[in-house]
Amino acid sequence: MAAAESSTGDLPLREKPVILSESPEVVMAQSALFSPEESSFPFFSLLEKANQAAVEADLPRLLERILQLSLELCPSRAAAFYLLDPVSGELVCRAVHGEALRPDLIGKNLVAASAIEQALQQDRLGEIEPVDQVAWWGAADVHGFKPGKAFVAPFTLAGQPLGVMVLFDCTQPRPEHLQFLIRRMASEVYKAGQLALSRQRSERLDAMIAIFGQIGSTLDRDQILRMMVEFARQVINAEACSLFLVDEETGDMVLHLASNVDREIQPVGLRVPAGKGIIGDVVQKGEVVLVSDAKRDRRHYEGVDHSTGFLTQSILAVPLRSRQVVLGGERGIIKEKVIGGFEAMNKIDGFFTAEDTQLLVNLANQAATVLQISSLYTDATNLFFDVVGALTESIDAKDPYTEGHSRRVCDFSVEIARQMGLDAEVVHCIRIGSLLHDVGKIGIPDYILTKPGHLTEQEYEIMKQHPAIGARIMSQVRLLHEELPAMAEHHERLDGAGYPKGLSGEAISLAGRIVAVADVFDALTSDRPYRRALPVEEALDYLGHRVEREFDRQCVDALVQAYLRGVIRTQKERELLG
Ligand SMILES: [Fe+2]
Ligand SMILES: [Fe+2]
């Protein structure tokens, strides 16, 4: 091993390690360093105590016992154990013991690391010069604990550094005893570390299985994404997690969902300008970014911290990639693009690990898939409604007096259904069925549809076929079978005097009864070539006098209630209010 003095010449004075020994053998020869009481702590006693401590498989408790044993061996004011984080290369506090050293140091990185890291890399015990408070503890509160000197005892296994134990103001360092203890315990520390890692992986796997079970229980896009953000924060053990989506028009990143440890809701909708911040970098380059000290990273956009009051220290950010089918000229080509980013901030117990990164990347892929499916579903639904809307409008438009009729009957039917407290799925079915209720008029000659006066008996018989025609046409659309009764039965009457089938009472579907009320209410409150629109009160009176005979009482009552709540507007009211 090279002489330590020559390798420390360029370090700042306060960080210079004063190496006490080059190896335990050399230490043995440097008798001035040893206490005359050395022999009072026999090695066999140390071995016995070390063996007792070694049965502890839990990493924090094992480190605690090593610290206790070391303090017993080498009286000191306090001691701390730092383990090397394999991803960040930082030394992270994992156990403390003794005067004033607070457990909240656990998870914090060692600020005065360079001299200690050097001792660790060179695998040699030694004392380092006193360093100032901030250099030791950073911003952590240690109740004014100011150590003088620190004795550093590196732990390595097969040449690989594991971590360091630091004894503060040690009055009796026993390097050879410590070295003996380290040799006995290094493999135990490694094994306990591996066990902790394995437990963490197992817990994460269980959590993943649980979250994917939950995700499968809903189709609500934002509910799924919220579960993912909350899950990521808990499993990664971060103070906060956020999901940003790119605004396609401006390129800004918009905070879509956030979860933080205090369950405070961060201002969703907050915008980060295009290309700004670490999230902007992630979106632009499509790469994972890991920042252990955000303040020192020039990409960090403080606008978010200012708006949220959140103090970002470390960030793990991954892109959200979505594959999209490009329509048009390049039909069928799948194009991948970054649609946002997923961020975890402020790891609570140390640094973001490679496993945290992998987990967040996996969740980001899942989230992107959810967004993609949701977007396809929205597009398909919009397309469907547009087509149905265009179809019904074209039928209504044949007669200027029925323009907008299907849309209004749809609106009224939906409000009646809601007022009756029907399930969302039933309401959806009634929405489509009522919009299409008169689609069968497509098979009725125009001269009948647009005849300004009363129809002859023969013309009326033809007109009465439109419910059956509509149901027959739409029966060819497999996804619309639930909606057929609204088309087929909206002119049936409870007393059986309706058409086309003359169904009565409960034989008429609920959808048919609802649309019947909505249909007549719109006809009465709209202008017709042969009469002016009736006032709402008269129209409701008309319906009220025909309950049980023509119309379902519950449906008429629901219409009245909905009208009184102001959620129903007749043709005349729409014309007046715009
Ligand atoms: Fe009709
Ligand atoms: Fe109608």
Side-chain angles (χ1 to χ4, degrees):
M1 195 174 283
E5 289 78 3
S6 62
S7 63
T8 58
D10 298 333
L11 292 169
L13 185 61
R14 68 178 174 81
E15 292 187 340
K16 275 186 184 175
V18 178
I19 302 300
L20 294 181
S21 67
E22 291 189 353
S23 70
E25 290 71 26
V26 176
V27 171
M28 296 285 277
Q30 294 172 325
S31 58
L33 295 172
F34 304 131
S35 154
E37 300 163 28
E38 199 72 37
S39 59
S40 68
F41 208 114
F43 277 90
F44 73 85
S45 169
L46 177 60
L47 179 61
E48 193 182 349
K49 291 188 178 199
N51 285 343
Q52 286 169 2
V55 298
E56 183 56 73
D58 179 71
L59 181 64
R61 285 205 292 268
L62 175 68
L63 299 180
E64 173 78 7
R65 292 191 70 167
I66 294 172
L67 289 183
Q68 281 173 3
L69 191 49
S70 301
L71 287 176
E72 198 181 326
L73 181 67
C74 314
S76 313
R77 283 177 68 197
F81 211 120
Y82 297 86
L83 285 183
L84 192 66
D85 182 81
V87 174
S88 64
E90 302 266 7
L91 284 163
V92 183
C93 186
R94 292 297 175 201
V96 292
H97 201 88
E99 183 190 323
L101 274 193
R102 288 160 55 99
D104 61 7
L105 278 177
I106 292 171
K108 303 283 191 311
N109 62 322
L110 184 63
V111 180
S114 56
I116 292 174
E117 275 168 8
Q118 194 172 345
L120 177 59
Q121 293 306 323
Q122 294 174 351
D123 188 18
R124 63 180 68 189
L125 284 73
E127 199 166 66
I128 65 168
E129 293 289 340
V131 289
D132 67 55
Q133 181 88 345
V134 173
W136 267 119
W137 317 116
D141 177 11
V142 288
H143 283 224
F145 179 69
K146 292 177 184 173
K149 293 193 173 186
F151 192 86
V152 180
F155 274 61
T156 61
L157 185 66
Q160 294 300 311
L162 299 176
V164 293
M165 184 168 62
V166 183
L167 304 173
F168 298 103
D169 290 335
C170 180
T171 54
Q172 197 175 8
R174 288 184 162 113
E176 81 285 14
H177 282 76
L178 273 180
Q179 191 72 56
F180 179 82
L181 181 65
I182 290 167
R183 284 183 176 165
R184 171 67 189 88
M185 301 308 287
S187 61
E188 306 300 335
V189 170
Y190 176 76
K191 281 190 282 185
Q194 291 299 304
L195 184 63
L197 198 61
S198 154
R199 278 185 185 146
Q200 188 196 53
R201 283 178 181 155
S202 170
E203 283 167 11
R204 284 190 171 190
L205 187 62
D206 288 347
M208 288 280 267
I209 292 167
I211 185 79
F212 287 122
Q214 285 176 31
I215 285 169
S217 67
T218 177
L219 286 174
D220 183 297
R221 180 189 89 150
D222 280 354
Q223 199 181 342
I224 293 173
L225 294 176
R226 201 170 294 116
M227 281 182 200
M228 287 181 165
V229 171
E230 185 67 20
F231 169 77
R233 187 188 62 70
Q234 285 175 12
V235 174
I236 290 176
N237 203 15
E239 283 183 12
C241 250
S242 309
L243 184 83
F244 284 87
L245 294 180
V246 176
D247 178 337
E248 291 199 351
E249 282 185 18
T250 61
D252 291 352
M253 276 74 59
V254 183
L255 184 61
H256 187 69
L257 281 167
S259 155
N260 71 35
V261 77
D262 298 324
R263 292 194 165 267
E264 290 167 12
I265 303 299
Q266 291 185 18
V268 168
L270 187 111
R271 300 179 88 87
V272 176
K276 289 271 183 188
I278 286 161
I279 194 70
D281 202 48
V282 166
V283 168
Q284 265 187 354
K285 295 179 182 161
E287 292 170 358
V288 174
V289 172
L290 184 60
V291 174
S292 49
D293 187 354
K295 285 192 294 296
R296 283 198 237 158
D297 194 295
R298 58 176 177 74
R299 293 168 296 183
H300 179 52
Y301 178 64
E302 291 187 341
V304 174
D305 284 4
H306 287 151
S307 304
T308 58
F310 187 84
L311 184 63
T312 306
Q313 289 157 346
S314 55
I315 298 181
L316 169 61
V318 304
L320 278 177
R321 294 176 193 282
S322 176
R323 291 191 179 87
Q324 296 184 324
V325 177
V326 179
L327 300 175
E330 297 173 343
R331 187 181 297 267
I333 302 255
I334 290 176
K335 185 179 166 189
E336 190 178 90
K337 70 171 184 174
V338 178
I339 57 166
F342 206 165
E343 271 190 343
M345 283 151 292
N346 298 2
K347 175 89 171 175
I348 290 170
D349 58 350
F351 293 87
F352 291 115
T353 64
E355 284 172 0
D356 293 337
T357 307
Q358 194 180 12
L359 183 93
L360 205 60
V361 167
N362 284 338
L363 280 173
N365 289 340
Q366 292 295 327
T369 305
V370 168
L371 287 163
Q372 192 177 354
I373 291 170
S374 158
S375 158
L376 283 173
Y377 177 77
T378 306
D379 287 351
T381 305
N382 289 343
L383 180 66
F384 172 74
F385 275 109
D386 289 349
V387 170
V388 169
L391 181 64
T392 54
E393 274 175 32
S394 67
I395 295 159
D396 291 349
K398 283 186 170 188
D399 178 354
Y401 280 95
T402 58
E403 195 176 348
H405 168 71
S406 297
R407 170 60 58 195
R408 290 192 299 276
V409 170
C410 171
D411 293 347
F412 301 165
S413 300
V414 166
E415 292 306 335
I416 292 170
R418 283 180 178 157
Q419 185 69 38
M420 291 171 80
L422 302 180
D423 288 347
E425 279 179 30
V426 179
V427 175
H428 176 77
C429 179
I430 286 171
R431 180 191 302 279
I432 309 293
S434 58
L435 193 57
L436 287 166
H437 77 282
D438 273 342
V439 72
K441 286 183 178 174
I442 208 163
I444 306 297
D446 283 0
Y447 78 91
I448 296 177
L449 281 180
T450 56
K451 186 172 178 180
H454 286 286
L455 300 178
T456 65
E457 199 171 319
Q458 192 188 12
E459 288 166 346
Y460 189 50
E461 285 305 313
I462 294 171
M463 185 67 167
K464 279 160 65 177
Q465 292 172 19
H466 79 267
I469 294 171
R472 194 167 64 243
I473 294 170
M474 286 301 155
S475 67
Q476 294 172 41
V477 183
R478 265 182 301 166
L479 288 175
L480 287 179
H481 280 194
E482 302 271 316
E483 284 78 5
L484 295 181
M487 296 168 227
E489 298 167 11
H490 71 275
H491 286 294
E492 300 289 0
R493 293 169 43 140
L494 291 187
D495 60 6
Y499 63 88
K501 288 188 175 172
L503 299 175
S504 61
E506 295 287 311
I508 306 168
S509 67
L510 181 60
R513 283 177 269 155
I514 288 174
V515 179
V517 170
D519 189 37
V520 171
F521 180 69
D522 183 63
L524 294 173
T525 53
S526 303
D527 287 330
R528 285 289 184 267
Y530 44 88
R531 60 153 174 78
R532 303 290 296 164
L534 291 182
V536 171
E537 294 72 23
E538 285 183 35
L540 293 178
D541 254 12
Y542 178 94
L543 292 168
H545 281 104
R546 286 163 179 77
V547 290
E548 309 293 3
R549 192 151 40 94
E550 281 188 48
F551 306 110
D552 184 296
R553 181 181 294 280
Q554 268 190 299
C555 300
V556 174
D557 286 349
L559 172 75
V560 174
Q561 292 303 318
Y563 183 78
L564 293 175
R565 280 198 302 121
V567 292
I568 278 180
R569 287 198 304 171
T570 63
Q571 181 207 40
K572 286 282 157 198
E573 288 165 342
R574 290 175 195 221
E575 280 172 6
L576 282 171
L577 299 170

